[in-house]
Every structure is written in structure tokens, then in C-alpha cells.
Amino acid sequence: MKRNALTNGRASDASERAFPRLMIAPTVLVMAALTAYPLVFTLIYSFTDYQYLKGTDAAKFVGFKNYVMLFNNTYFRQAVLNTVKFTLLAVILEMVIGLLIAVFIKSLKKGQKVMRTLLLLPYLLPTVTVALSWRMMLSANYGIVNQVLESLHLPVYNWFMDIKTAFGTVLLIDVWQNVPFVFLLLYASLQGVSTNQYEAAMIDGANVVQQFFYVTIPNIKSGIALCALLRTIDTFRLFEKVNILTGGGPAGTTSTITQFLYNYGIKNLKFGFGSCGAIVMTVLVLILSSFYIKRAIH
Amino acid sequence: MGSKRITGMTIIKGIVCAILLIVALFPIYWIVAMAIRPTSEMTGHISVIPHALTGEHFKQLFIEKGFGSSIVNSLQTTLISTMISLVIGLCTAYIISRARFRMFIKKPLTYWILLVRVLPPVAFTIPLYTMFSKLNILYSRIPVILACILINIPLIIWFMISFFQDLPVDIDQSAQIDGATEWQLFTRIILPLVLPGIAAISMLSFMYAWNEYTYSIIFVQTPRNYTVPLTLAVLNTEDNLTNFGLVAAGGVISVIPITLFVIFAQNYLISGLSSGAVKE
């Protein structure tokens, strides 16, 4: 009640009332100009034959022509399939490996902090640098990986050019970089699990595996769910590694939705078609993340 | 429960730790190892540890490839965008966190910010490109700066709201009774109390802007404006030996800022990154 009295008394002061508006105005302006306005125009452009070089004035409304073209485009369908496959595999691998590492590090008696920092490093590096380092290691002629495989008499590949290996190689590199994020988040969640529960489980005769499934997992369920969602949202827009390592090839086997749009809507300046693809991707992302948004807002 | 069994466990755990560290760190080691070895050591049998050390790749990178200007571009866009996002983001996060400021726009803005965090960059790029072109700023550094601001403002607001909320409202009330204006309360009392949070999110914002690639490759039109990631990506055009050293040297330089953060401020950095698990 005291707070109410304070607020009412001050609300009469005009300059004090202006304060929150001034404080929030820059964000509203920036978000309106850089996100709301573009999103609306992406939608509008998606119904036009807008080509950048001809300008917006020459663009005509073409109805759903772009959408029909897009859904009939085999490369696009392949890119959607690749993206879904990639996201599913990457998130599952990252979650399983990240969780195992988190539980393992938590069980160490010494050196938890050092290990946590060192294992986190891959996630912190610029994605471009990560991609280039792996490119050098996996180079067909001058790479250390092929050299080691050859000396062990194992088959070697041209990792990024071979249809058999390109997808898996990019997947592996992405998993390598993002497991540390999952590990860090789950390791932080594990700190909140009380040791009493493990002691109680031990008294009941639960072994290590049972403790993992009946104590650890239920306790960090919400951390696991949140982490999986964040990773899903980020993996779905995968572009940097693909663009640098394969450009979507060979034969489109590593093309993701963003890479497809970059090649066939942005780089060739066919902005109407590109916008249409962007809208389709936006809808897919919204469906994927509706759960996350609901949770985060409460 | 003999001590033997405990030792056995310790050894196994040590081995697992070693394997984890090798897998996590070898690619990082490799880029350093490639950067400092002469080109002659990159063919034939490649040794894990370089035999001879050389600075030739770094020299060539700066003298022939003008890498210095890429670093200047990157630092400029990163620092300017981080500063602007911080100022704007902190003000908004504070207003959203305080129930006494009642504004209709707070709720829709909060939803919108979350949506921006989730939407893919391609949702915005094409109209932004058109807009920048019409404003005649496509050949300046402004587009990339704005892109980094667009990435970082939602992160900063989302991160800082919980920090502001954790401060008891009593602080606000006692300051107001003492006659402080809202602005004084915010800058002199509230902000110093959330400095750890500001430190953590500043580093994350810097990192995201420094690593930014997707918007940059679409918006940057001329090599004059290339940032470090763009220059590196362009160097990496072919499986060309002469470029391996250059790419590696550039890669080493690209990780300097984050290395400094890890060495001098890892607690802030890690608390920033892991905050997502505890708070939502």
C-alpha cells in the first residue's frame, strides 16, 4: 500500500512520467526499424516478383506464384529435409553427449572448474575459425586426419566433397562446437540437485545407472527441455559452417534452408523468391519454438 | 572398499578427462600449430608438433592481405554495436523489470524481443538490404553495426531483466524518499549494483558481434569493409597450400579476444552463458 501511495504521488509529476517512456523509446524505435518493418516487408515481397536490380518500383504482385515455385523446387525440398534431419541428429547427439560429460565432470573430486573452462572453449570460438580449423585437419591431400587414417590402413575420404561423408562431417563439426554449451547448461542445473536424494537412493540400493535415471534426470528435466529447445532453434538456422565448408554441396546433400535461400534468393538478388522462402522458414521456426516462447513468458 | 578400487576409478577418470580434453582442444591446437610452421612442413608427412617456427604467415597476412584493416573494421563494428546495445538495452530492461512503471507497451515489447531472439536472420535481411541501399549506406560499416545491435539488444534485455528483478524494491523507495530523481536512482544506485551482470553480458555481446558472419556476408559489399570472419572465409577459397598458413594465422588472431576474456574474466563469462539454465 505504501508503494501505491508513492507511485500515485509521483505520477502527477510530468517529468517523472516521461522517464520510462524516454528509457524505452530507443529500443522500440530500433526494434521497429530493424525487425518489425523488415518482417512486414519480407511478407509483402514474398507475393511479388521483386528483383533487386530492377528496384522495388518495378516489382509486381504475383500472388502465390513464389510459394508454388518454392514448393515445387526439388532443391528447396531437399534443403528442408536436410535441415530437419540435421537438427534432429545434432540436438540428440549434443544432448546425450553433453549430459554424459556434465554428469562425469560433476563426479570428479578435483579439477571440476578447470575442466569446465577448457571443455567450454570450442563453443566460444568464432564459427568461421572452427570451420577453417576442421577444414585444414580434414583436407584431402594435406590433412592430418587422412594421414593418420592412411597410416592405420583405414579408408580415407575427400570429406567435404564426397556425397557419402559431407553431411556427417558437417554434423560432427557442429556437434563438436555445441556440445560444450549443452554440457555447461546441464552442469549448472546439476549443481541444484541435493546430495540427500542420492544418499536416499543409495540406501534403497540403487546402483549408479538407476541413480542416473531415477534421481539425476527427473531433477534436471526442465534444464534438459530448455537446452534442447535452444539448440533446436539455433541448429535450424544453420548456415555459417555449411556456407564455408561445402556451400551446400555436393549435390545439395548438405544444403540447409538458410543456405538454399542464400544461394537462390539473396546472392542472385531474386528478392521476391528469397522473401517467400524466408517466410516459409519463419513459419517453421515459429511452430518449433511456440513451446519455448510460452514457457519463457510463463 | 579397498583403496585399490578407488585408485582404479581415479585412473579411469583421468583417462576419460584426457580423451575429452584432446577431442575438445586438438582443433584449437591445430590452428596454432599450422600458423607457426613454415609452408614446407605442410606437405608430405605432417608432424603433430612443428619442427621449425616462423612468423612468415602473420607477416604475409598483414602486409599482403591487409589483415590490419579487417581487425580495425571488426573492432569498430564490435565496440560501437556493443556500446549502443548496452546503453539501449539496460534502460529498457530496467523499465520492464519495475512494476511501478505501468505502460501498455511493456508486454508486447517483451514478447517481440523474445520473438526476435527466435526468428532466423533471413526473416529480416532482404528488406534491410533494400532499406540500406535506398539510404545509401550499403557501402559503409553501418549495416553490420546495426545487424549486431539487432542481435544483441534482445539478448541484453532478456539477460538483464532478471538481474534488475533480483534487487529489492526497497532500494528504489528509500532513494526516492531521499529525493533522488528516477535518473539518479538508475545511474547512481541501480546500475552499480548490477555491474557483475553488465560485465557478463558485455563480454557475451562483444563475442557475438566479433563472431558475426551471416549478416556480414550479406550486407558487406566491398573488401574495404571486411570483418575478420569475412576475410578468413574469403582466404579459404580453395584447397590451396599457400593459404593454409594465412588462414591459420588469421584464425589465431580471431580467437585473441575470447582468450583474453577466458583468462581474465572467465567467471563472468561462464555465469553469463549458464544463466539460461537456472533462470529462464
Side-chain angles (χ1 to χ4, degrees):
Chain A
M1 286 307 105
K2 203 173 103 193
R3 199 196 308 173
N4 256 341
L6 251 172
T7 320
N8 290 340
R10 288 165 3 74
S12 58
D13 189 345
S15 73
E16 293 293 299
R17 223 182 323 160
F19 174 76
R21 290 183 194 163
L22 286 173
M23 294 278 278
I24 224 166
T27 300
V28 175
L29 283 177
V30 170
M31 286 293 123
L34 297 183
T35 61
Y37 163 87
L39 193 59
V40 170
F41 271 83
T42 305
L43 184 64
I44 295 174
Y45 291 159
S46 75
F47 295 106
T48 70
D49 62 355
Y50 173 30
Q51 296 205 18
Y52 175 71
L53 292 178
K54 292 185 184 159
T56 42
D57 296 336
K60 288 189 300 291
F61 276 94
V62 293
F64 284 90
K65 199 179 145 212
N66 288 329
Y67 288 89
V68 174
M69 255 164 62
L70 188 74
F71 290 124
N72 284 328
N73 188 315
T74 42
Y75 289 119
F76 178 71
R77 290 208 295 251
Q78 188 185 18
V80 173
L81 225 69
N82 284 341
T83 309
V84 171
K85 203 167 87 180
F86 195 99
T87 307
L88 219 66
L89 287 171
V91 173
I92 291 172
L93 283 173
E94 284 163 17
M95 295 307 297
V96 171
I97 300 171
L99 179 60
L100 289 178
I101 297 179
V103 171
F104 171 73
I105 298 296
K106 185 83 198 328
S107 80
L108 293 179
K109 290 193 186 66
K110 267 190 294 187
Q112 285 194 21
K113 241 186 112 180
V114 181
M115 285 297 287
R116 182 191 63 178
T117 305
L118 290 175
L119 292 181
L120 184 62
L121 290 176
Y123 179 71
L124 301 175
L125 304 182
T127 309
V128 175
T129 310
V130 165
L132 295 177
S133 173
W134 279 95
R135 215 189 114 100
M136 285 190 279
M137 296 196 322
L138 294 170
S139 159
N141 300 319
Y142 314 113
I144 182 92
V145 171
N146 275 3
Q147 181 182 303
V148 170
L149 290 177
E150 258 167 15
S151 69
L152 296 171
H153 302 288
L154 289 167
V156 297
Y157 295 95
N158 193 345
W159 300 97
F160 299 111
M161 308 285 191
D162 195 321
I163 289 181
K164 287 199 293 286
T165 56
F167 183 87
T169 309
V170 178
L171 179 72
L172 210 73
I173 297 171
D174 200 51
V175 169
W176 176 83
Q177 188 174 20
N178 290 308
V179 159
F181 175 78
V182 175
F183 151 67
L184 185 75
L185 246 68
L186 296 184
Y187 178 74
S189 317
L190 283 177
Q191 307 301 321
V193 185
S194 75
T195 45
N196 294 348
Q197 295 192 33
Y198 289 104
E199 279 159 19
M202 250 148 69
I203 291 167
D204 290 344
N207 61 31
V208 181
V209 178
Q210 284 167 329
Q211 283 176 37
F212 177 77
F213 283 109
Y214 295 109
V215 181
T216 308
I217 299 265
N219 268 296
I220 59 168
K221 227 168 41 193
S222 69
I224 291 175
L226 178 79
C227 195
L229 281 160
L230 286 174
R231 286 309 315 143
T232 306
I233 292 164
D234 281 347
T235 312
F236 204 76
R237 58 170 75 159
L238 180 81
F239 168 69
E240 294 160 303
K241 290 187 184 81
V242 171
N243 191 50
I244 288 164
L245 294 172
T246 64
T253 47
T254 61
S255 181
T256 59
I257 303 177
T258 308
Q259 179 66 42
F260 171 85
L261 293 178
Y262 179 73
N263 283 345
Y264 298 104
I266 295 175
K267 223 162 67 175
N268 62 5
L269 302 173
K270 287 187 176 164
F271 280 3
F273 185 67
S275 298
C276 165
I279 290 297
V280 172
M281 184 172 180
T282 302
V283 171
L284 290 176
V285 169
L286 283 179
I287 295 169
L288 271 177
S289 53
S290 55
F291 180 60
Y292 166 66
I293 294 185
K294 258 188 239 151
R295 261 173 66 100
I297 296 272
H298 294 301
Chain B
M1 277 305 208
S3 63
K4 238 182 200 165
R5 195 168 147 240
I6 293 165
T7 337
M9 257 327 254
T10 317
I11 291 171
I12 293 171
K13 281 186 177 178
I15 293 170
V16 175
C17 280
I19 293 172
L20 286 176
L21 286 178
I22 290 171
V23 173
L25 302 180
F26 187 80
I28 304 173
Y29 163 76
W30 196 242
I31 208 158
V32 179
M34 291 299 272
I36 57 175
R37 76 177 65 196
T39 308
S40 58
E41 273 191 46
M42 293 176 191
T43 46
H45 180 82
I46 309 157
S47 63
V48 174
I49 297 161
H51 296 301
L53 297 183
T54 172
E56 63 172 294
H57 304 304
F58 289 93
K59 214 172 115 192
Q60 202 189 347
L61 190 67
F62 280 95
I63 292 170
E64 286 172 32
K65 303 286 175 185
F67 200 64
S69 84
S70 305
I71 296 177
V72 172
N73 288 340
S74 265
L75 279 176
Q76 247 179 17
T77 46
T78 302
L79 288 174
I80 294 174
S81 68
T82 306
M83 295 284 278
I84 295 177
S85 327
L86 265 183
V87 172
I88 296 180
L90 283 172
C91 290
T92 301
Y94 175 63
I95 299 297
I96 292 178
S97 74
R98 285 295 180 268
R100 70 166 185 280
F101 302 120
R102 288 201 199 126
M103 295 165 85
F104 159 75
I105 195 137
K106 272 166 72 166
K107 206 166 181 187
L109 185 66
T110 316
Y111 274 97
W112 187 257
I113 286 164
L114 197 65
L115 198 66
V116 171
R117 160 76 184 84
V118 164
L119 290 184
V122 284
F124 313 117
T125 42
I126 289 174
L128 284 177
Y129 189 97
T130 310
M131 178 170 92
F132 295 145
S133 154
K134 285 185 175 162
L135 293 172
N136 251 326
I137 53 172
L138 211 44
Y139 287 85
S140 72
R141 276 166 213 141
I142 299 171
V144 179
I145 293 178
L146 289 177
C148 292
I149 291 176
L150 140 68
I151 296 171
N152 278 329
I153 283 185
L155 291 172
I156 292 171
I157 294 178
W158 206 244
F159 181 78
M160 288 307 298
I161 285 177
S162 54
F163 271 87
F164 287 127
Q165 275 171 343
D166 287 349
L167 297 180
V169 194
D170 299 359
I171 296 175
D172 300 31
Q173 285 167 5
S174 54
Q176 282 160 357
I177 290 163
D178 290 343
T181 63
E182 286 286 5
W183 180 249
Q184 285 169 335
L185 165 67
F186 177 58
T187 53
R188 305 221 184 125
I189 297 165
I190 302 286
L191 283 187
L193 288 172
V194 294
L195 268 184
I198 298 177
I201 195 66
S202 306
M203 274 184 278
L204 286 183
S205 302
F206 186 101
M207 195 180 97
Y208 290 128
W210 178 262
N211 296 355
E212 210 294 314
Y213 176 77
T214 308
Y215 285 105
S216 308
I217 193 141
I218 293 169
F219 291 151
V220 174
Q221 305 295 310
T222 148
R224 193 166 45 93
N225 288 339
Y226 276 2
T227 55
V228 169
L230 283 190
T231 309
L232 286 177
V234 170
L235 277 176
N236 154 60
T237 39
E238 278 158 47
D239 199 16
N240 187 338
L241 253 196
T242 49
N243 275 355
F244 267 36
L246 291 178
V247 167
V252 169
I253 293 170
S254 76
V255 304
I256 290 176
I258 200 63
T259 313
L260 293 177
F261 290 156
V262 170
I263 294 173
F264 294 110
Q266 55 159 295
N267 287 339
Y268 289 125
L269 191 71
I270 288 173
S271 78
L273 281 169
S274 47
S275 66
V278 194
K279 300 165 188 163
E280 296 183 357

